[in-house]
Each structure stands twice: as C-alpha cells, then as structure tokens.
Amino acid sequence: MFLFEPVYRPRPPALSGRGVSLRPPLMADYGAWAELRGRSRAFLEPWEPVWGEKALSRYTFRTRISRVAREWNSDQGYSFHIFADGSGDIPRGQLLGGVNLNAVRRLSAQACNLGYWMGEPYAGRGLMHAALDALLPYAFAPEIGERSGPGSGLGLHRIDAACIPENLPSKELLRRCGFHEVGLAPKYLKINGGWRDHICHQLLAEDYGGIRVGTIV
C-alpha cells in the first residue's frame, strides 16, 4: 500500500490528442473516480466483472493503485486514466475513463491485452477513440534503452482485445482503431456474474501506421 502517491518507473510519457490527455492513476484521483464510476454503474456493469459491495471504497482504490504501480514498475501492465484537456466543452482535468495494457508478455510474444472503460456522461463522443489514438503509438514504438528516454515506447508487436458480441459500440471502436477479428472465444471471461462469449481482436505493429510518442514527464 502507499502512504503517498505511487512512483512509476520508467517515468510515464505525456500522451494526448483530440480533447484528451492520459497519465497513470494517482490516489488524488479517488474522489473523481468514485463519483464517475458510481454515476455510471448501471452503464458499466453489463460489461465488467461483478463489482462487489466495496467496489467504490477508498480501500479498493488504494489496492488497485498499488497493483497498477507494481505491474508498471515490473513491466507487466500499463494503466492510464483519461482526462479532458479543456479544448472542448468538458472542463480541463475532468476524469473521463480509463484504458489499460494488461498482461504484458515479453520474449517471443511481445504482446498485451487491451482493456478500457468510459464514464456514461462521456460515452459516444469519440473520446475513447482519441485516447487509443494517443496510446497505441506508445505501445508499438520501439524500446530505447530502459524505456526511460524521450521518445521511447513499449516495443510491443501485438495487442489483443476482446468484447462481448452484443457490445456493438466496443466492436465498432476496435474496428475504427484498426483491430481485426480473429475468432470467437466461448465463455472467455466471467462478466457480470456469468461466463460470456467474446469476439477476439488483434492489432499488429506492422498493421499500425503513424507511430509517434509523447514526451516523458
């Protein structure tokens, strides 16, 4: 657990684009995170694991931040909160949602799993698409040294993503970001209390264009 804010090593890049900015989650985000997730509960629950009674507690959030920082620092996962950059009608700094590069596999795989959520008030506005447009170049950009230098990326080769067949907005989001369907996985994940089929997608580095990386902050 953290008495203070977590330290992320290597230092995270400043990722931004089309109305959004991304950074790793901090304990200071708890109030905004709990408020947005609480307002969006009915909207999010059909697509997520069962929340539990303490899903929005400070303890749950602190535990999550501890895990996120541990995975970041050991090159096992990279999580970001998504914020409005103030260029549109949403106030600068407003938490919008989150996006994660989970289960990073190195050696011969160089792959990870993509996950994301958007608060209900901000869904359907292209903001998650903007967030992925900012994140994917960082994921695919070649590693430089210890991933700590300006312009360095994660050097991944493949990003996997899966969504429930009925989740049409998620399917369309992945299509627009260049992901390709690779098959149906029966009872792939336990979602909202039941094992659900998922459509599996993937995006390969060689199929993704326009790689650019933000500055290190």
Side-chain angles (χ1 to χ4, degrees):
M1 298 301 174
F2 292 97
L3 296 177
F4 304 101
E5 293 292 3
V7 175
Y8 293 96
R9 292 287 184 268
R11 291 181 297 161
L15 302 177
S16 62
R18 293 192 293 116
V20 301
S21 63
L22 283 67
R23 66 156 171 77
L26 301 173
M27 277 304 303
D29 300 334
Y30 170 69
W33 174 87
E35 192 277 335
L36 181 59
R37 296 277 295 179
R39 290 176 61 191
S40 307
R41 183 162 190 159
F43 175 73
L44 294 172
E45 278 189 318
W47 320 112
E48 297 188 353
V50 172
W51 282 34
E53 295 181 0
K54 299 181 179 179
L56 300 178
S57 71
R58 184 177 295 274
Y59 173 81
T60 296
F61 187 75
R62 185 182 297 114
T63 301
R64 173 177 172 269
I65 296 300
S66 177
R67 174 181 53 79
V68 164
R70 183 170 61 252
E71 291 178 352
W72 184 296
N73 295 339
S74 60
D75 189 35
Q76 294 179 315
Y78 296 86
S79 295
F80 295 84
H81 278 171
I82 305 166
F83 299 89
D85 69 1
S87 63
D89 61 337
I90 306 172
R92 180 181 179 85
Q94 173 63 53
L95 178 64
L96 308 173
V99 59
N100 313 304
L101 300 175
N102 301 312
V104 173
R105 286 94 70 195
R106 293 298 185 180
L107 300 176
S108 61
Q110 299 297 329
C112 74
N113 298 335
L114 175 69
Y116 45 81
W117 67 274
M118 181 64 66
E120 184 174 16
Y122 312 111
R125 302 178 60 165
L127 295 169
M128 186 58 73
H129 189 184
L132 291 179
D133 280 349
L135 178 60
L136 292 175
Y138 171 61
F140 286 128
E143 297 179 272
I144 299 176
E146 296 297 321
R147 292 174 289 114
S148 59
S152 62
L154 297 180
L156 295 172
H157 174 252
R158 187 183 80 251
I159 298 178
D160 299 316
C163 66
I164 294 172
E166 294 84 2
N167 192 344
L168 300 183
S170 190
K171 288 175 60 178
E172 176 62 15
L173 170 68
L174 293 173
R175 185 194 67 80
R176 292 176 63 196
C177 289
F179 284 78
H180 301 284
E181 292 188 18
V182 294
L184 179 69
K187 299 182 179 180
Y188 182 62
L189 295 172
K190 194 171 187 179
I191 299 296
N192 199 25
W195 290 99
R196 302 295 305 276
D197 297 349
H198 281 68
I199 300 175
C200 296
H201 302 72
Q202 71 173 22
L203 179 61
L204 302 179
E206 54 262 41
D207 295 333
Y208 184 79
I211 287 180
R212 62 176 177 80
V213 180
T215 57
I216 304 295
V217 297

